[in-house]
Amino acid sequence: MEIIISGNKEYGVASELYKLYSNATFISRSTGYDLTVKKVQEQVANLCLKHNIFINNSALYRFEQTNLLHTVFKKCKSENHPLYIINVGSTIDRFNKGTDWLYSAEKKALRDFSDSLSKQSVWTNGPRVTLISFGSLSNVQHKHPDRTCLPIAITANYIKWLIDQPKELHIHEISIDPVQV
């Protein structure tokens, strides 16, 4: 199993994935890949042709996580490469309060586009797409001192669970929030 993961293996969800998949290829600015650049996204799409699984984990700004998904999916579909793409989103995409914070709109775009591609995954032999969204994680507890946060250590286990599912089943989306009591 060849895995490619966007994100810095020393931070956040990527650091937890590194504990499980230390042989994975990690792509981020720290490894020479500025994922906000279209040409680099195209390089990553070509790299994905040598992998079975792409974990689209980087929380990129200006909708670049969604753009990266589009570029990778399109490339793999055109090459008939059966990549499994797991997009890491955020449950912030479901909030409906007024805000000028673009992050929630970016995550909503990722969810909507993942949903569209995920439906294709059931009916074609092309790339499979799953979205997994987490609520507040413990690595940002300082931003939300009054919230119960998910331990970041469990995120990789949920992603591993997705990877370990039988190929004849397709999971479209999972959304996980800590209970606030």
Side-chain angles (χ1 to χ4, degrees), residues 42-56:
E42 290 166 359
Q43 290 173 341
V44 170
N46 285 319
L47 278 175
C48 284
L49 296 174
K50 299 175 184 170
H51 294 80
N52 310 98
I53 298 164
F54 171 46
I55 302 173
N56 186 13

Side-chain angles (χ1 to χ4, degrees), residues 83-94:
L83 186 70
Y84 182 26
I85 302 169
I86 299 172
N87 296 305
V88 179
S90 170
T91 60
I92 190 75
D93 66 5
R94 298 189 184 274

Side-chain angles (χ1 to χ4, degrees), residues 11 44 53 58 62 65 67 76 80 90 103 107 112 120 124 146 149:
Y11 178 75
V44 170
I53 298 164
S58 291
R62 292 185 310 206
Q65 187 178 12
N67 290 330
C76 290
N80 293 317
S90 170
Y103 182 76
K107 291 301 182 179
D112 289 347
Q120 287 186 36
T124 67
D146 297 334
C149 291

Side-chain angles (χ1 to χ4, degrees), residues 77-146:
K77 186 175 181 180
S78 73
E79 299 287 331
N80 293 317
H81 181 60
L83 186 70
Y84 182 26
I85 302 169
I86 299 172
N87 296 305
V88 179
S90 170
T91 60
I92 190 75
D93 66 5
R94 298 189 184 274
F95 284 90
N96 290 323
K97 69 178 188 178
T99 180
D100 61 355
W101 192 32
L102 198 54
Y103 182 76
S104 59
E106 291 169 329
K107 291 301 182 179
K108 185 175 276 201
L110 179 67
R111 185 184 87 211
D112 289 347
F113 194 52
S114 291
D115 181 57
S116 179
L117 297 179
S118 181
K119 289 172 182 159
Q120 287 186 36
S121 301
V122 175
W123 299 103
T124 67
N125 288 328
R128 292 184 305 142
V129 177
T130 298
L131 175 75
I132 185 164
S133 297
F134 297 104
S136 299
L137 297 172
S138 59
N139 66 328
V140 293
Q141 180 77 61
H142 63 282
K143 292 181 183 179
H144 312 287
D146 297 334

